[in-house]
Amino acid sequence: MALNDFKWELIQSGIVIISLLVLRFIINFTIAKIGKKNGINIARIRLIQRYTSVVLMLIVILIEAYIFGVEFKDIAVIFSSVFAILGIALFAIWSILSNITSGVIMFFSFPYKVGDKIEIHDKDFPVKAIIEDIRSFQLHLRLENGDLVTYPNNLILQKAVTLIQKDAIEEIVSDDDGADIV
């Protein structure tokens, strides 16, 4: 009896879920293709795919609530309240949000990849290092003296950066015995 009452809602829900699963597959496939084309680390590809999955899940929840009869004004009140609370919380920790957003931007348009030797032109702290890893919040840079420096993603997008050498981490050097050292 209860299934008959919600027959059309369940059919619409099935269509929405299937449509968004197909959309998720297409988006994840596109992100993976872009990532592999640009030589981006698989961990970063999966991270961006998770971000898009979360956004799609929020869209599904919004659409499902509307299908089952929740008024748009009620949804707007809930989302505005949630976003107000998140806005206040994120304002307090804006740098985290800024670094995550920068990480997403860097995934699609950062011209350097892991293994490249770069120079960051910062007046206070100039850095010349090899990119060891690109994470959600920061870059891991290996200095020439062996020190590891974490550099925030939002700052790397604000500073001038020069590519010194492509694939510097993969450079093979021969020692005196003729053996190769990676």
Side-chain angles (χ1 to χ4, degrees):
M1 185 83 156
L3 289 177
N4 286 335
D5 294 340
F6 295 106
K7 179 180 171 184
W8 291 111
E9 288 86 355
L10 292 173
I11 292 171
Q12 290 173 340
S13 295
I15 292 170
V16 166
I17 290 171
I18 290 170
S19 299
L20 286 173
L21 284 174
V22 169
L23 181 63
R24 179 180 173 258
F25 175 78
I26 292 169
I27 290 172
N28 284 345
F29 179 77
T30 305
I31 289 170
K33 190 127 178 138
I34 290 170
K36 287 177 184 173
K37 178 184 171 193
N38 293 330
I40 295 173
N41 186 340
I42 191 72
R44 288 191 58 222
I45 293 170
R46 288 188 180 136
L47 179 71
I48 299 300
Q49 288 173 336
R50 274 189 233 125
Y51 288 163
T52 57
S53 294
V54 167
V55 169
L56 286 175
M57 182 62 73
L58 291 174
I59 291 170
V60 165
I61 291 170
L62 179 68
I63 293 171
E64 287 298 317
Y66 185 74
I67 287 173
F68 281 97
V70 177
E71 296 285 329
F72 181 73
K73 65 179 180 172
D74 297 335
I75 294 172
V77 167
I78 290 170
F79 272 91
S80 64
S81 300
V82 168
F83 284 127
I85 292 169
L86 285 175
I88 292 168
L90 292 176
F91 180 74
I93 53 172
W94 68 270
S95 64
I96 292 174
L97 181 63
S98 173
N99 284 321
I100 291 173
T101 305
S102 298
V104 172
I105 292 169
M106 287 170 52
F107 178 82
F108 291 105
S109 66
F110 195 57
Y112 315 112
K113 63 180 186 171
V114 173
D116 290 349
K117 186 171 187 176
I118 61 170
E119 181 177 3
I120 302 170
H121 304 282
D122 187 354
K123 180 179 71 170
D124 298 327
F125 186 65
V127 176
K128 190 182 290 188
I130 295 175
I131 300 174
E132 197 170 275
D133 196 7
I134 302 173
R135 303 243 171 151
S136 299
F137 300 105
Q138 75 272 348
L139 284 145
H140 288 187
L141 303 172
R142 185 67 63 180
L143 298 177
E144 292 172 350
N145 66 4
D147 289 346
L148 180 68
V149 174
T150 58
Y151 205 84
N153 286 342
N154 62 349
L155 289 182
I156 196 80
L157 291 180
Q158 296 174 13
K159 304 290 181 185
V161 178
T162 302
L163 176 66
I164 296 174
Q165 180 182 358
K166 275 282 216 208
D167 298 323
I169 204 167
E170 296 176 7
E171 181 179 279
I172 298 176
V173 180
S174 293
D175 64 1
D176 294 337
D177 299 334
D180 290 332
I181 302 172
V182 179

